Amino acid sequence: MAKIRIGPDDVLSMTVEELERLMEREGQPRFRGAQLFEWLWRHGIGSYEEIPVWPKPLRQRMAQEYPFHRLRLVESQRAHDGTTKLLLEMADKQRVETVLLPHRFGYSVCISSQVGCAMGCKFCASGLKGRVRQLSAGEMADQVSFGNHVLAERQARVSRVDVMGIGEPLDNLEALMQFLELAHHSQGMNLSYRHITVSTSGLVPAIKHLADSGKPVTLAVSLHAPNDALRLSLMPVNRAYPLDQLIPMSRYYAEKTGRRVTFEYLLLKDVNDGEKEAHELGRLIGGFGAHVNLIPWNPVAEHPFQPSPKAHVRRFQSIVQEYGISCTIRRELGQEIDAACGQLRLREEEPVSP
Ligand code: SF4
């Protein structure tokens, strides 16, 4: 059997232009590249045999020379509210989590960008075992495609993408940029950049790269603390990129792209949820039209944190709003399933020691 490629010859990671060049190298007309892209991403084919407009010898040659692997479903959990968590397997048997979330506007899909994560945030299940490997652009795009496949049964499609699952997407920048092109292209999944959110723990140089890329996606910065000492105790990345670099770069992103930046703030009882922290946060990010998304803590067995009482959450919100900052509380979706990112994959592997 032909070996599946995860690399430069992986057709699932190629843009239309790259596929056109590949088909030319194969002695085929250039338009076959765009045809292949369309069949891969608009129709979601699982093999070359499903391209009826191609002659059989071409289908066979491509299957031999450029085999591709679509994600395989290992497990799915569906909550009463429609939130659906998928554990998907890649060609090398590594697994990723992808979550479908219902909204008033339709469905969003939250995709992973790495297997594991190197950032080591203290509240996160995904970072417990470090980074195993990067995902390719095709593996990211295929999570969106798989979401469409699942939603077809509900007569729906993915209308927004959050690159917020397992991994730090800006630590996999090249593949992320390629993924954005794949997801955006009108001959494929045709998603507006405005409907794609990229989340980061705060890799400042990569935020600059994204700002200057001409791809105006929504940026979500995982802040979780309003001062360096507290943030460093929760997020080791703050040592390399402290707040006096992260906040000005977030402002630069907003100015360069014209997009509102969202700051994610996980509320941990008696850690970062006090009135003092709310005022500090208001002073830190006021004045450039940023948005704050407060996230109620979803308990993870491996971590000692407790959720903030609802009254603390509301008080925190109203203080932040006093600074003229738009501030919402994230809806809790999929409560009865392993909803925090990384939990499903960890449970499928051996237990993690406390
Ligand atoms: S919160 Fe995000 S960046 Fe931090 S360890 Fe988890 S996956 Fe990585």
Side-chain angles (χ1 to χ4, degrees):
M1 199 183 125
K3 189 167 169 10
I4 304 286
R5 294 164 170 85
I6 305 170
D9 280 343
D10 167 25
V11 293
L12 288 177
S13 292
M14 290 187 192
T15 61
V16 170
E17 295 69 29
E18 287 167 340
L19 288 173
E20 285 172 344
R21 285 199 291 277
L22 181 143
M23 297 311 290
E24 278 181 333
R25 280 203 307 276
E26 288 297 309
Q28 294 292 322
R30 204 176 158 77
F31 72 84
R32 293 262 190 246
Q35 259 181 350
L36 176 53
F37 188 87
E38 194 165 323
W39 281 93
L40 287 172
W41 297 118
R42 186 172 290 173
H43 305 292
I45 56 165
S47 79
Y48 293 104
E49 279 310 304
E50 295 169 52
I51 308 182
V53 294
W54 277 14
K56 193 166 180 63
L58 175 58
R59 299 199 302 253
Q60 287 174 335
R61 175 165 173 77
M62 290 297 287
Q64 186 59 38
E65 294 300 317
Y66 301 97
F68 63 90
H69 173 91
R70 297 228 85 136
L71 295 169
R72 187 183 73 79
L73 182 65
V74 178
E75 186 181 337
S76 108
Q77 296 179 346
R78 182 172 174 174
H80 285 109
D81 61 16
T83 301
T84 305
K85 189 155 198 167
L86 308 166
L87 185 65
L88 301 170
E89 191 170 88
M90 297 174 284
D92 61 355
K93 308 284 182 214
Q94 290 291 344
R95 293 167 174 188
V96 279
E97 285 180 25
T98 304
V99 185
L100 291 163
L101 299 148
H103 306 274
R104 271 195 301 275
F105 60 78
Y107 279 87
S108 64
V109 62
C110 180
I111 67 167
S112 299
S113 56
Q114 298 176 319
V115 180
C117 183
M119 306 313 292
C121 302
K122 302 294 184 225
F123 44 78
C124 176
S126 307
L128 284 172
K129 291 184 170 182
R131 187 181 75 196
V132 178
R133 77 162 169 86
Q134 306 281 26
L135 294 199
S136 68
E139 287 164 338
M140 286 188 245
D142 207 15
Q143 293 173 66
V144 183
S145 185
F146 204 99
N148 278 329
H149 175 69
V150 171
L151 291 176
E153 290 170 13
R154 306 179 203 175
Q155 282 79 49
R157 279 186 74 76
V158 168
S159 47
R160 288 178 195 240
V161 175
D162 299 321
V163 192
M164 272 191 185
I166 298 172
E168 162 56 67
L170 297 188
D171 182 37
N172 187 10
L173 191 58
E174 200 181 323
L176 175 78
M177 300 313 289
Q178 187 92 346
F179 158 73
L180 294 176
E181 281 203 51
L182 301 182
H184 176 66
H185 202 284
S186 60
Q187 281 170 281
M189 292 182 280
N190 197 20
L191 286 153
S192 155
Y193 286 132
R194 302 172 75 84
H195 291 166
I196 300 175
T197 299
V198 173
S199 167
T200 180
S201 59
L203 299 183
V204 168
I207 296 174
K208 168 94 168 56
H209 182 96
L210 192 61
D212 296 339
S213 70
K215 296 179 171 59
V217 296
T218 301
L219 182 70
V221 176
S222 298
L223 195 60
H224 308 319
N227 62 64
D228 280 324
L230 183 53
R231 191 162 191 267
L232 188 56
S233 73
L234 297 170
M235 302 178 73
V237 67
N238 200 78
R239 191 179 308 282
Y241 303 113
L243 293 173
D244 65 359
Q245 293 181 35
L246 179 58
I247 302 304
M249 184 53 73
S250 303
R251 180 186 287 264
Y252 175 81
Y253 189 89
E255 288 165 0
K256 189 77 200 271
T257 62
R259 309 285 297 133
R260 186 174 75 166
V261 171
T262 294
F263 289 101
E264 307 284 347
Y265 197 104
L266 193 59
L267 282 162
L268 306 167
K269 183 173 179 228
D270 300 335
V271 175
N272 65 355
D273 67 340
E275 295 190 5
K276 174 180 161 289
E277 284 81 20
H279 283 290
E280 269 186 294
L281 180 62
R283 288 192 292 271
L284 183 70
I285 61 166
F288 71 101
H291 174 79
V292 173
N293 191 23
L294 299 175
I295 308 169
W297 168 246
N298 212 338
V300 176
E302 296 82 11
H303 293 295
F305 301 112
Q306 297 299 317
S308 281
K310 283 206 164 57
H312 284 211
V313 176
R314 281 194 294 274
R315 180 78 188 120
F316 199 98
Q317 179 188 33
S318 69
I319 292 172
V320 173
Q321 286 169 334
E322 283 169 20
Y323 288 81
I325 298 167
S326 136
C327 180
T328 50
I329 301 167
R330 184 186 283 179
R331 262 191 318 147
E332 296 180 61
L333 291 166
Q335 281 282 286
E336 73 269 33
I337 60 178
D338 291 324
C341 73
Q343 285 177 305
L344 193 60
R345 177 170 161 267
L346 282 175
R347 188 166 57 68
E348 282 288 313
E349 296 176 352
E350 78 270 23
V352 176
S353 28

